[in-house]
Amino acid sequence: MLPTITWENDAVVMIDQRKLPSKEVYVRCRTAAEVARAITTMVIRGAPAIGVAAAMGIALGIRASRAAGTRQLAVEFQKLCDRMAATRPTAVNLFWAIDRMKRVFAEQVGTGAPVDDIRQALEREAHRIHDEDVASCRAMGAFGASLVPDDARILTHCNAGALATAGYGTALGVVRAAAEAGKRVAVLADETRPFLQGARLTAWELVRDGIDTTVITDNMSGAMMRAGQVDLVVVGADRIAANGDVANKIGTYAVAVLAREHGLPFYVAAPLSTIDLATPDGDHIPIEERKARELTHVAGQRLTPEGAQVRNPAFDVTPHRYVTAIVTERGICRPPYTESLGAIVKGGWGR
Amino acid sequence: MLPTITWENDAVVMIDQRKLPSKEVYVRCRTAAEVARAITTMVIRGAPAIGVAAAMGIALGIRASRAAGTRQLAVEFQKLCDRMAATRPTAVNLFWAIDRMKRVFAEQVGTGAPVDDIRQALEREAHRIHDEDVASCRAMGAFGASLVPDDARILTHCNAGALATAGYGTALGVVRAAAEAGKRVAVLADETRPFLQGARLTAWELVRDGIDTTVITDNMSGAMMRAGQVDLVVVGADRIAANGDVANKIGTYAVAVLAREHGLPFYVAAPLSTIDLATPDGDHIPIEERKARELTHVAGQRLTPEGAQVRNPAFDVTPHRYVTAIVTERGICRPPYTESLGAIVKGGWGR
């Protein structure tokens, strides 16, 4: 299993995703502030993974607390939650994980638990979020594999793999599960500018797993579909609104439009923690705009001339009408999503 | 005027488009072989520009010839033409320019001209191709400007600018002419991986001209259209088939599909030398596949892991049904293109 994020005694350890695939460097975060910075600077990225990181960061911060009483601890806890919530705005898993930590904190305080017990309960919850995420990915894979025919050529965008989760992956979990079920699969990985998650991360983890992987530039996916080189698309998600609109890495929308133009299924694989029933539709999802430098420079070299402006929205929204199905750890949701997502989150099943 | 390509006594001088915008370096080609290499390695690129380069390269080669008689000169001339024709397969302007040189050669030989006269005639023809290309771009700009509303936000892909032509540009000629006519225009430039013609070249020449320019990654154009940030698309072309199918830089097809999805006009600006009536449709246009390294490395740094395959088609084909109009130096062609392109090439007019 890929070591996306682990807890080692006094530190949260992450593989530095900015350096892959040329260097395998591990970052040891010894404070909550370091974890927050790692999320913001994309040492770790991917909606489920940053949820895990935020939970571990909070647990780490509380572990370091010198608060003698619950009241002081509550003040520090709130600050830690606020700090984590301020790292990145789009992936709802981050806020979901923080909410889980808040619920545990409130329960512990409600039962009059001493500070040490609260600390341990928060640490346990962070580990639980981590472990559940891996289990979710495995379950998603099992459901999603049923959508993948033998000899499938699968296009994916960004990295929704082991590196974007606690392990195994969402979209790449579907690919892995199909391969483990004995199906032959080949992956076309969009390189995914500007951060190049596809070229660097998706290709790296799939090649490690011996899965046939071809990297293309983002602007090739349409031509590949037209040439009959793609059988289906599967991507992850950063937030899914109640109506099924999907926020995901910038460029996902274009891939979805192209998939529909070519009559190809467009699947989204995401855990329930990505579904945000409180957000009615994609127009209400905050889209992070990141620094221009991510786009203007590669490997320290400036690409664009001085004087040219730059836009760098990190995500876009794919309206639900382009989404063939949403694969979760509880089953596969199909349109109308307002019904199927609501039912699956409340414990029912999709179709 | 940008010095894309000039003839200086004993050399063809080109600005090195691989180095822009960080360095303005000029490459002096003193032999036809050096010109051919410059085309293959993309020191110079852009369909009209490589046509000019090939003509100048042939003239340069003949100038260096020691052939005493016409028969020996004809052998060398054919070799030069073959060498130029082998540089790049997709842009038809290259073959069109070589054909013009062949016609002049045949005419000269037919009139019994001495070797020195033939040399001079070929040199004159190369200059004429250069100068006509600039005039064509200006005329295209004048026609195309009528399609651009005031306050237009124009999306373009790759570089169809002064650097892709002998000067002024095709798609960017339309932008320039609209600006010169007093219209306010803003350009969204797709960065255009892998060679980054948009980020490096289009942005560079538009910023020099004081035109409002914003660089985006290729995967952002769909989201920008959906956000209402684009009013029209204009691109160049490398070859236009008789039915109006357009071969252009990889990614053009995706932009065209997205434009239609958003009800936006998709214009192609190209000189008549780009229209290839001998090619019935896009399926018959040869598409160059370039080296993987263009995609796997940026600024000398490897992006993709070992073991991942790579595809690198340099062009794609946009079927004519996505093309709103084709702007040429003789007027604007509209569907059905089988009629309008045929008429305009034969000297008639489009609508």
Side-chain angles (χ1 to χ4, degrees), chain A residues 21-22 157 191-194 196 199-200 203-204 207 212-220 222-224 226 250-251 253-254 257-258 260-262 283 295 298-299 301-313 316-317 319 322, chain B residues 21-22 157 191-194 196 199-200 203-204 207 212-220 222-224 226 250-251 253-254 257-258 260-262 283 295 298-299 301-313 316-317 319 322:
Chain A
S22 53
H157 188 72
E191 65 172 6
T192 319
R193 282 281 290 151
L196 296 162
R200 300 190 300 106
W204 183 71
V207 165
D212 183 313
T213 306
T214 303
V215 177
I216 57 173
T217 58
D218 300 313
N219 57 27
M220 287 176 196
M224 291 295 162
R226 188 165 174 267
I250 187 73
Y253 171 59
V257 169
L258 289 161
R260 202 178 65 168
E261 185 80 5
H262 296 88
D283 291 346
L295 198 150
V298 171
Q301 178 155 334
R302 189 178 178 96
L303 307 176
T304 57
E306 298 283 346
Q309 297 155 75
V310 162
R311 284 293 311 276
N312 190 14
D316 61 26
V317 171
Y322 297 98
Chain B
S22 52
H157 189 73
E191 65 173 7
T192 319
R193 283 279 291 150
L196 296 162
R200 300 190 300 105
W204 182 71
V207 166
D212 183 314
T213 306
T214 302
V215 177
I216 58 174
T217 58
D218 300 313
N219 56 27
M220 287 177 197
M224 291 294 162
R226 187 163 174 269
I250 186 73
Y253 170 59
V257 169
L258 289 161
R260 202 178 63 168
E261 185 79 4
H262 295 88
D283 292 346
L295 199 150
V298 172
Q301 178 155 336
R302 189 177 178 96
L303 308 176
T304 56
E306 299 283 347
Q309 298 156 74
V310 162
R311 284 294 310 276
N312 189 16
D316 61 25
V317 170
Y322 297 98

Side-chain angles (χ1 to χ4, degrees), chain B residues 47-48 90-97 99-100 103 133 136 140 170 235-248 268-282 285 320 323 325-334 336-351:
Chain B
T90 305
V92 76
N93 313 61
L94 181 78
F95 308 101
W96 169 88
D99 280 348
R100 273 187 62 160
R103 210 175 313 138
D133 188 58
S136 287
M140 242 178 279
T170 54
V235 297
D238 289 80
R239 189 184 300 217
I240 301 174
N243 71 341
D245 289 355
V246 174
N248 191 44
V268 174
L272 297 179
S273 54
T274 305
I275 299 169
D276 179 16
L277 295 182
T279 295
D281 57 45
I285 300 176
H320 59 84
V323 180
I326 297 172
V327 181
T328 78
E329 69 271 40
R330 276 201 201 135
I332 299 173
C333 293
R334 296 205 180 252
Y337 292 113
T338 309
E339 290 173 25
S340 59
L341 291 177
I344 211 157
V345 168
K346 284 166 192 121
W349 285 77
R351 281 181 292 130

Side-chain angles (χ1 to χ4, degrees), chain A residues 77-143:
Chain A
F77 178 76
Q78 186 58 47
K79 271 192 191 159
L80 285 166
C81 291
D82 291 348
R83 177 72 188 88
M84 291 300 159
T87 52
R88 300 194 69 191
T90 304
V92 76
N93 312 61
L94 181 76
F95 307 102
W96 169 89
I98 295 168
D99 280 348
R100 273 186 63 160
M101 298 299 275
K102 283 181 178 170
R103 211 176 310 138
V104 167
F105 189 87
E107 277 165 17
Q108 292 289 316
V109 171
T111 60
V115 166
D116 263 358
D117 285 10
I118 300 177
R119 285 189 180 120
Q120 283 171 30
L122 289 170
E123 211 166 304
R124 275 198 309 274
E125 185 69 2
H127 283 288
R128 204 174 290 131
I129 289 171
H130 177 282
D131 295 348
E132 284 176 17
D133 189 57
V134 179
S136 287
C137 288
R138 293 259 174 201
M140 241 176 280
F143 284 115

Side-chain angles (χ1 to χ4, degrees), chain A residues 8-49:
Chain A
E8 282 184 16
N9 302 317
D10 60 341
V12 175
V13 182
M14 309 167 185
I15 191 164
D16 191 339
Q17 303 199 20
R18 302 167 306 180
K19 307 271 167 66
L20 288 171
S22 53
K23 286 181 200 152
E24 278 186 46
V25 179
Y26 291 84
V27 173
R28 293 183 75 81
C29 301
R30 290 171 198 278
T31 65
E34 286 175 12
V35 172
R37 221 166 13 246
I39 297 171
T40 305
T41 59
M42 294 171 76
V43 170
I44 191 165
R45 29 62 52 200

